[in-house]
């Protein structure tokens, strides 16, 4: 049964309630053995993944020296999300999510090994890096929807808000540590070493998935997705205004506000004149702000539309200021603010969607979450790379911030003008 107009889902979770109110609530999800294993494995693997992102961006820039090429390689990494993430959501509603994740993360580990050997034996060609970036994107396209939809199976509906907040802490902790270690490892060791470290980190995630007690998973009793499942997911979104508004805001921010793999290394190299360690520090500042936001959301609680729009607007304004800044310490502070506001936005979106979506549609709706957060990156990254080539990275980042702010404003006006139940047209 879909959510009613009050926003309560079939799981009995209303967006904004029940939300964790104290920092101690964070531990409730970790007391579930399966979730604790899953969380730890993803923390270790995620750290390696963020380290690889630093190494990949830096090696592409070193070989090509081109913002457009960096944008192209980043586009190819996220293009498979655009191509495959929606059918992957159907798969997540039809087949065991644990099996999907084991397969996808094994592919990602193999991709890292190949990257390591290419970097170790000589300078890899751009086409090789582009092909491997695409391969990683295919893995992520099938992994992410299953990973998002797996959370309620690990902890049960009552603990979903705490688990989502805890996942945010894990994600942003690994990002902060990974970016710092990635910058240092590229400078002190080599890009090849970083790729091999990432490959090794996947063993923790795979071991955790294999160690899960499948008998303790809270499997949905809903019927599996059948023929026409994708259309059913779209119909649900189209006829649920609260979900449509959340996904619309995510589309705007995902396309224009979340292009850090292209923006950060170019700002570091061309504007702030810092090397790989400085780039890693910028992204660690971003991760630190994200970590503060993740913990803060547990303490504050709640998940409102107002918080979602406000945090998205702050992120957009921060982008504009980053484009203006020429002072490295100022840019570090702005990156921290970007991480904080961006994490408040994405965590709020995630929690609201988890609360609004019934079990039988969760994989499909969360695949839309992944599509609009990361699958829009091919467009954003390509546009940002081309804009940086033509007008400079500062002007491009300022423009993207302005477009993000304008898009959220238009969306908010349209949402406010939508007829409400019981209100005359």
């Amino acid at each position: 049964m879909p959510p009613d107009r009050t926003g309560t889902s079939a799981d009995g979770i209303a967006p904004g309630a029940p939300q964790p109110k104290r920092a101690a609530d964070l531990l409730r999800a970790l007391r579930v053995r399966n979730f604790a294993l899953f969380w730890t494995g993803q923390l270790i693997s995620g750290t390696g993944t963020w380290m690889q992102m630093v190494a990949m961006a830096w090696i592409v820039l070193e070989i090509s020296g081109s913002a457009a090429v960096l944008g192209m390689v980043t586009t190819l990494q996220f293009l498979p999300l655009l191509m495959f993430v929606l059918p992957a959501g159907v798969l997540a509603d039809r087949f065991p999510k644990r099996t999907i994740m084991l397969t996808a993360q094994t592919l990602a580990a193999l991709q890292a090994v190949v990257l390591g050997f290419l970097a170790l034996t000589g300078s890899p060609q751009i086409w090789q890096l582009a092909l491997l970036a695409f391969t990683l994107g295919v893995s992520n396209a099938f992994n992410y929807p299953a990973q998002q939809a797996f959370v309620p199976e690990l902890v049960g509906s009552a603990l979903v808000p705490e688990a989502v907040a805890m996942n945010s802490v894990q994600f942003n902790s690994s990002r902060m540590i990974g970016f710092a270690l990635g910058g240092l490892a590229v400078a002190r060791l080599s890009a090849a070493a970083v790729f091999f470290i990432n490959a090794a980190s996947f063993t923790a995630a795979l071991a955790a998935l294999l160690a899960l007690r499948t008998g303790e998973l809270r499997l949905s009793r809903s019927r599996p997705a059948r023929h026409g499942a994708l259309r059913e997911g779209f119909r649900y979104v189209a006829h649920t205004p609260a979900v449509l508004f959340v996904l619309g805001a995510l589309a705007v921010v995902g396309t224009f506000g979340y292009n850090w793999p292209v923006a950060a290394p170019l700002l570091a190299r061309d504007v702030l004149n810092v090397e790989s360690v400085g780039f890693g520090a910028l992204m660690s500042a971003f991760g630190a702000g994200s970590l503060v936001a993740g913990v803060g959301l547990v303490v504050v609680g709640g998940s409102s539309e107002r918080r979602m729009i406000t945090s998205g607007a702050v992120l957009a304004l921060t982008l504009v200021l980053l484009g203006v800044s020429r002072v490295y310490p100022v840019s570090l502070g702005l990156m921290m603010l970007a991480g904080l506001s961006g994490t408040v936005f994405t965590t709020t979106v995630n929690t609201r969607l988890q609360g609004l979506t019934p079990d039988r549609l969760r994989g499909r709706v969360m695949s839309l979450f992944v599509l609009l957060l990361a699958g829009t990156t091919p467009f954003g990254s390509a546009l940002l790379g081309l804009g940086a080539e033509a007008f400079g990275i500062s002007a491009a980042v300022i423009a993207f911030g302005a477009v993000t702010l304008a898009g959220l404003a238009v969306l908010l006006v349209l949402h406010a003008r939508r007829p409400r139940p019981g209100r005359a047209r």
Side-chain angles (χ1 to χ4, degrees):
M1 181 175 179
D4 62 23
R5 293 292 182 177
T6 66
T8 303
S9 76
D11 295 335
I13 307 169
Q19 298 292 329
K21 299 295 184 184
R22 305 182 309 276
D25 288 335
L26 200 67
L27 300 177
R28 293 177 62 196
L30 280 181
R31 293 192 188 106
V32 179
R33 176 188 178 276
N34 277 349
F35 182 76
L37 279 172
F38 177 78
W39 187 91
T40 304
Q42 295 304 312
L43 175 67
I44 296 169
S45 175
T47 299
T49 298
W50 292 113
M51 290 178 68
Q52 175 168 306
M53 185 173 289
V54 173
M56 187 72 157
W58 206 256
I59 200 171
V60 169
L61 272 180
E62 279 190 338
I63 293 171
S64 69
S66 168
V69 171
L70 177 60
M72 180 270 292
V73 173
T74 304
T75 294
L76 286 172
Q77 180 174 324
F78 289 93
L79 184 61
L81 291 168
L82 188 63
M83 298 166 62
F84 302 123
V85 77
L86 293 180
V90 175
L91 285 178
D93 283 335
R94 185 174 292 170
F95 298 105
K97 300 171 184 65
R98 175 171 168 266
T99 303
I100 295 172
M101 286 185 288
L102 282 167
T103 305
Q105 292 185 31
T106 299
L107 177 62
L110 292 174
Q111 182 261 5
V113 170
V114 175
L115 267 175
F117 278 114
L118 283 175
L120 189 64
T121 56
S123 295
Q125 302 297 308
I126 289 297
W127 71 265
Q128 294 171 322
L129 296 176
L131 179 61
L132 287 166
F134 186 84
T135 302
L136 179 61
V138 172
S139 165
N140 290 338
F142 287 91
N143 182 67
Y144 289 159
Q147 193 175 62
Q148 294 292 332
F150 196 46
V151 171
E153 293 187 10
L154 289 166
V155 298
S157 297
L159 288 177
V160 164
E162 287 88 342
V164 170
M166 195 63 196
N167 271 345
S168 177
V169 171
Q170 171 266 118
F171 178 86
N172 293 301
S173 298
S174 64
R175 175 161 53 185
M176 179 179 65
I177 298 166
F179 276 130
L181 292 179
L184 285 171
V186 169
R188 303 289 172 84
L189 300 173
S190 66
V194 174
F195 297 142
F196 285 125
I197 290 170
N198 181 40
S201 74
F202 276 103
T203 60
L206 294 172
L209 286 169
L210 290 171
L212 295 180
R213 292 174 181 165
T214 55
E216 295 178 6
L217 295 177
R218 279 76 165 176
L219 300 177
S220 170
R221 294 189 178 92
S222 302
R223 289 179 302 171
R226 298 183 185 277
H227 181 71
L230 201 52
R231 287 196 302 273
E232 183 187 13
F234 280 122
R235 268 198 310 272
Y236 168 74
V237 170
H239 291 90
T240 312
V243 173
L244 194 60
F245 177 57
V246 171
L247 290 176
L250 185 61
V252 171
V253 174
T255 304
F256 299 103
Y258 251 75
N259 293 286
W260 304 109
V262 175
L266 290 174
L267 286 171
R269 188 194 67 173
D270 298 341
V271 178
L272 302 171
N273 299 311
V274 295
E275 297 300 323
S276 60
V277 175
F279 166 44
L282 280 175
M283 296 310 297
S284 289
F286 186 93
S290 300
L291 180 58
V292 169
V295 175
L297 284 170
V298 177
V299 176
V300 174
S303 176
S304 66
E305 290 180 351
R306 176 178 295 180
R307 177 179 294 170
M308 179 183 71
I309 292 297
T310 300
S311 57
V314 171
L315 176 64
L317 290 171
T318 305
L319 277 171
V320 173
L321 294 174
L322 270 169
V324 173
S325 174
R326 298 293 184 275
V327 180
Y328 184 60
V330 172
S331 294
L332 280 173
L334 289 171
M335 286 295 287
M336 182 174 288
L337 180 59
L340 189 150
S341 55
T343 296
V344 171
F345 176 84
T346 55
T347 304
T348 301
V349 167
N350 191 322
T351 304
R352 289 186 66 76
L353 288 177
Q354 293 276 13
L356 287 164
T357 306
D359 280 343
R360 65 188 177 83
L361 294 169
R362 195 176 304 279
R364 280 160 281 179
V365 172
M366 296 316 293
S367 73
L368 284 170
F369 169 81
V370 175
L371 174 69
L372 295 175
L373 179 62
T376 53
T377 301
F379 299 110
S381 294
L383 284 174
L384 187 61
L386 291 171
E389 285 277 301
F391 307 107
I393 185 60
S394 293
V397 169
I398 291 170
F400 269 52
V403 171
T404 302
L405 192 61
L408 288 173
V410 169
L411 190 66
L412 188 59
V413 169
L414 293 175
H415 184 62
R417 294 175 64 180
R418 178 180 61 82
R420 309 284 178 172
R423 190 178 75 180
R425 288 181 179 270

